[in-house]
């Protein structure tokens, strides 16, 4: 099926493919192992460590050796792991231990890297923004990155395009869009045009996006009534197993919103959840039983989770995800496996400022991963491990305020996804890589790097129930 789809896609396009026989250079990463100390918290209180974690929970940092702020990561059914390093896409074929470049954008540079793996078809999408904030193009691979097809610009124009996201999933029973022989799933492309959050739909595997709808306008376009006028920047949309599409947003208004479509992206119902959201990229995921989860950031700094069994008509929570010692968080990633099994990745510091821009120059940021195996419980238990052994940023991270002194180095987001075996991968940028910065006397001004890191679950329970725990 993948070969057929790739052949049809090739005929539809005039752009060429990369030669699969061209040599690629392997990037030799460095590996550091996180501390063994674990924190188990339920409802904000220390609790017993669940039995599944008694044999260990370790997430290893893999430093890829390339610049790669605001990275994305995805895993195909073969276990190949793909991640973005700005214009370059890297691939690992040994469960995230080493990476090699498999594609580099041929013209210009990207102002917004993005990558998505359709876990049903194994198509790898990478929409890149070029030139800055004007157009977006797609590249795609159906053979685990051996060859790539370049798809012409899928969206251009003013107001500018920004913060684009691509995702895919099954066609829901209530879809108004016809099925296509070119591709079995719907592909959505959601983005910010400053005056609104838009989401477009493709039925042919990302070749054309013929329908585009406004999710919500922003305060900059109050003349258009879309119920809340809190659109603009949005988190990554999510396609559930039943075809429901969720779009989290609300950063522009400081509130958590989720727009929900049950007809394949033709129309959306918007929900103001009534809780603060100061996270630039809130996340939504769902489990096989249909429970949907939102991961966002509270006004005072911690990261929290909401859950809903009725597509956010109602919800339960918030449940605090980050441990008590983490006072301020930045950048949120989440994914799910079997019912109740979720994992969260984020940066955190013990500075109590609440907003990442406002922490002191002495603040030290680390990468954290939190996992729950009972996310559906009345009081879920969250187990957290500090992933990084040295700082990933010193001082402030520019997100909300005017940027100063180069502290915009980490850009906008992180990403987290898992393979079919339940091993997860957490992609983020390390801003503190030099010996001077890592040293105990390191200063905020030393922390201006953005090296791609793809942390991997090395020891601990799988996201898929019934699968054996990982031991290396």
């Amino acid at each position: 099926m993948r070969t057929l789809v790739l052949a049809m896609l090739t005929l539809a396009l005039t752009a060429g493919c990369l030669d699969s026989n061209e040599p690629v250079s392997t990037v030799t990463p460095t590996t550091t192992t996180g501390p063994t100390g674990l924190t188990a918290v339920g409802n904000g209180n220390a609790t017993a460590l669940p039995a599944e974690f008694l044999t260990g929970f370790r997430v290893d940092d893999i430093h890829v050796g390339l610049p790669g702020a605001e990275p994305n990561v995805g895993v195909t059914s073969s276990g190949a792991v793909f991640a973005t390093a700005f214009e370059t896409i890297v691939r690992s074929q040994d469960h995230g231990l080493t990476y090699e470049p498999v594609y580099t954008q041929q013209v210009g540079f990207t102002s917004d890297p993005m990558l998505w793996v359709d876990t049903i078809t194994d198509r790898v999408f990478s929409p890149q923004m070029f030139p800055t904030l004007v157009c977006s193009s797609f590249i795609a691979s159906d053979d685990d990155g051996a060859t790539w097809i370049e798809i012409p610009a899928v969206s251009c124009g003013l107001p500018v395009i920004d913060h684009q996201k691509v995702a895919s999933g099954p066609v829901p029973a209530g879809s108004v869009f016809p099925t296509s022989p070119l591709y079995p799933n719907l592909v959505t492309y959601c983005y910010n045009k400053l005056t609104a959050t838009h989401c477009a739909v493709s039925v042919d595997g990302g070749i054309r996006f013929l329908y585009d709808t406004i999710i919500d306008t922003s305060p900059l376009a109050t003349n258009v009534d879309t119920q809340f006028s809190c659109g603009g920047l949005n988190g990554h949309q999510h396609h559930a197993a039943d075809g429901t599409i969720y779009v989290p947003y609300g950063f522009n208004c400081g509130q958590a919103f989720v727009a929900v479509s049950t007809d394949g992206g033709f129309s959306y119902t918007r929900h103001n959840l009534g809780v603060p959201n100061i996270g630039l990229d809130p996340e939504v995921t769902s489990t096989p039983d249909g429970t949907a989860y939102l991961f966002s950031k509270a006004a005072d700094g911690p990261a929290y989770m909401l859950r809903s069994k009725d597509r956010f008509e109602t919800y339960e929570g918030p449940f605090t995800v980050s441990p008590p010692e983490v006072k301020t968080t930045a950048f949120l990633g989440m994914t799910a496996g079997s019912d109740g099994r979720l994992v969260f990745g984020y940066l955190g510091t013990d500075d109590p400022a609440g907003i990442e821009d406002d922490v002191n120059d002495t603040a030290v940021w680390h990468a954290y991963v939190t996992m729950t195996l009972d996310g559906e419980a009345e009081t879920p238990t969250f187990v957290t491990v500090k992933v990084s052994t040295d700082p990933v940023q010193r001082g402030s991270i520019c997100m909300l305020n005017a940027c100063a002194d180069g502290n915009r180095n980490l850009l906008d987001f992180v990403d987290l996804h898992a393979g079919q075996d339940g091993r997860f991968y957490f992609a983020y940028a390390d801003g503190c890589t030099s010996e001077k910065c890592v040293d105990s006397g390191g200063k905020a001004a030393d922390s201006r790097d953005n090296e791609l890191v793809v942390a991997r679950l090395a020891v601990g329970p799988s996201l898929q129930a019934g699968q054996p725990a990982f031991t290396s």
Side-chain angles (χ1 to χ4, degrees), residues 147-395:
T147 59
W148 296 86
I149 299 277
E150 297 176 356
I151 303 175
V154 298
S155 184
C156 294
L158 297 173
V160 298
I161 298 164
D162 185 28
H163 213 71
Q164 85 282 12
K165 311 285 188 183
V166 64
S168 57
V171 180
S175 176
V176 301
F177 299 110
T179 57
S180 168
L182 285 176
Y183 204 70
N185 293 335
L186 295 179
V187 180
T188 54
Y189 174 85
C190 298
Y191 58 97
N192 160 43
K193 266 188 173 289
L194 299 184
T195 56
T197 294
H198 289 244
C199 281
V201 181
S202 172
V203 299
D204 56 12
I207 301 173
R208 298 165 298 172
F209 288 83
L210 300 181
Y211 183 79
D212 193 336
T213 188
I214 293 178
I215 299 295
D216 204 351
T217 58
S218 80
L220 299 177
T222 55
N223 59 315
V224 181
D225 182 12
T226 50
Q227 189 175 5
F228 295 122
S229 293
C230 282
L233 289 171
N234 56 277
H236 208 145
Q237 71 271 24
H238 169 70
H239 292 238
D242 66 356
T244 301
I245 303 171
Y246 296 92
V247 183
Y249 68 102
F251 172 77
N252 286 8
C253 291
Q255 293 286 306
F257 292 82
V258 177
V260 181
S261 176
T262 57
D263 57 14
F266 180 77
S267 64
Y268 287 83
T269 300
R270 307 164 191 85
H271 300 283
N272 183 350
L273 303 181
V275 293
N277 161 49
I278 60 170
L280 188 65
D281 246 44
E283 288 276 288
V284 170
T285 193
S286 61
T287 45
D289 64 358
T291 304
Y293 297 84
L294 172 77
F295 186 37
S296 192
K297 178 182 173 182
D300 58 349
Y304 67 85
M305 179 191 84
L306 304 178
R307 68 174 178 228
S308 176
K309 297 184 181 299
D310 55 11
R311 302 187 175 109
F312 290 102
E313 293 286 345
T314 62
Y315 68 83
E316 298 170 309
F319 304 96
T320 301
V321 171
S322 49
E325 64 270 21
V326 174
K327 306 299 183 184
T328 301
T329 58
F331 305 123
L332 308 176
M334 171 180 64
T335 196
S338 299
D339 294 344
R341 294 190 174 221
L342 301 100
V343 63
F344 312 84
Y346 50 95
L347 304 189
T349 176
D350 61 5
D351 188 299
I355 297 175
E356 51 266 49
D357 302 72
D358 296 339
V359 300
N360 292 320
D361 281 349
T362 57
V364 177
W365 294 84
H366 282 275
Y368 291 86
V369 162
T370 298
M371 193 173 186
T372 181
L373 304 181
D374 63 355
E376 80 286 5
E378 181 178 355
T379 304
T381 298
F382 298 99
V383 179
T384 299
V385 63
K386 183 191 290 184
V387 175
S388 52
T389 55
D390 54 58
V392 299
Q393 181 84 345
R394 291 186 182 274

